[in-house]
Amino acid sequence: MQKIILSKIQKKILLDHSNKEEPNESCAILYGNKNGEENTVKEIWLTENIDASPIEFTLSNEQTLEMYKKSEELNLEIIGIFHSHPKGEAYPSHTDEKFMKINQDGYVWIIYSGINKNFKAFVLESEIPIEEN
Ligand SMILES: [Zn+2]
């Protein structure tokens, strides 16, 4: 089974970003290395949710282009997409599931729940473990 490895500092960065963006969903792109089933996060790019919505998130087209450019510049793969659910559980919403299915490139989705204060990670519909390094 796949797993994703994050440091304590990286979790803190995502947590602070989520708190700052409340009551709206926050989002970020996770860059790193894939080694077999292990996805290790090396860099986080905090992005702007152009929907500015508590129940949805969208990256602008410019940010989407930038997302790929950064991957080349950093020489790291895009391994995951982070977003928060300020008023929900850390499970994919129906909209999230739709995008997870369209996006078959195997990104790890990390969701942070503002109500339970926890992170969960998913690949397609399967929950995968988050480890701390
Ligand atoms: Zn969501």
Side-chain angles (χ1 to χ4, degrees):
M1 199 210 293
Q2 295 207 49
K3 61 177 173 183
I4 186 148
I5 304 165
L6 277 164
S7 69
K8 210 177 220 144
I9 294 164
Q10 289 166 340
K11 276 189 183 168
K12 175 83 167 59
I13 290 168
L14 296 174
L15 185 70
D16 288 348
H17 183 50
S18 305
N19 289 336
K20 207 180 114 240
E21 297 300 308
E22 274 198 36
N24 296 328
E25 290 197 1
S26 57
C27 47
I29 306 299
L30 311 173
Y31 297 95
N33 300 120
K34 259 184 192 290
N35 190 353
E37 307 269 82
E38 255 183 38
N39 300 276
T40 307
V41 178
K42 301 274 188 195
E43 294 281 347
I44 295 173
W45 179 40
L46 302 177
T47 51
E48 189 196 341
N49 176 7
I50 61 160
D51 290 337
S53 153
I55 53 160
E56 275 176 328
F57 77 99
T58 307
L59 296 189
S60 63
N61 292 337
E62 291 78 15
Q63 286 187 112
T64 306
L65 289 176
E66 182 78 18
M67 169 175 102
Y68 294 108
K69 212 176 103 199
K70 275 185 187 290
S71 168
E72 281 178 28
E73 283 168 4
L74 295 164
N75 199 21
L76 293 170
E77 287 177 65
I78 297 163
I79 56 171
I81 298 168
F82 165 82
H83 75 286
S84 63
H85 286 170
K87 295 273 175 283
E89 310 250 335
Y91 288 97
S93 66
H94 291 299
T95 316
D96 294 339
E97 279 177 4
K98 204 175 75 197
F99 282 107
M100 286 158 123
K101 279 179 199 151
I102 294 168
N103 227 308
Q104 290 285 350
D105 32 17
Y107 292 158
V108 178
W109 283 57
I110 295 186
I111 304 175
Y112 174 74
S113 163
I115 52 172
N116 296 326
K117 314 283 177 207
N118 65 344
F119 291 92
K120 287 190 187 293
F122 303 84
V123 175
L124 296 173
E125 282 120 48
S126 314
E127 187 175 343
I128 64 161
I130 301 176
E131 280 181 19
E132 206 171 274
N133 64 358

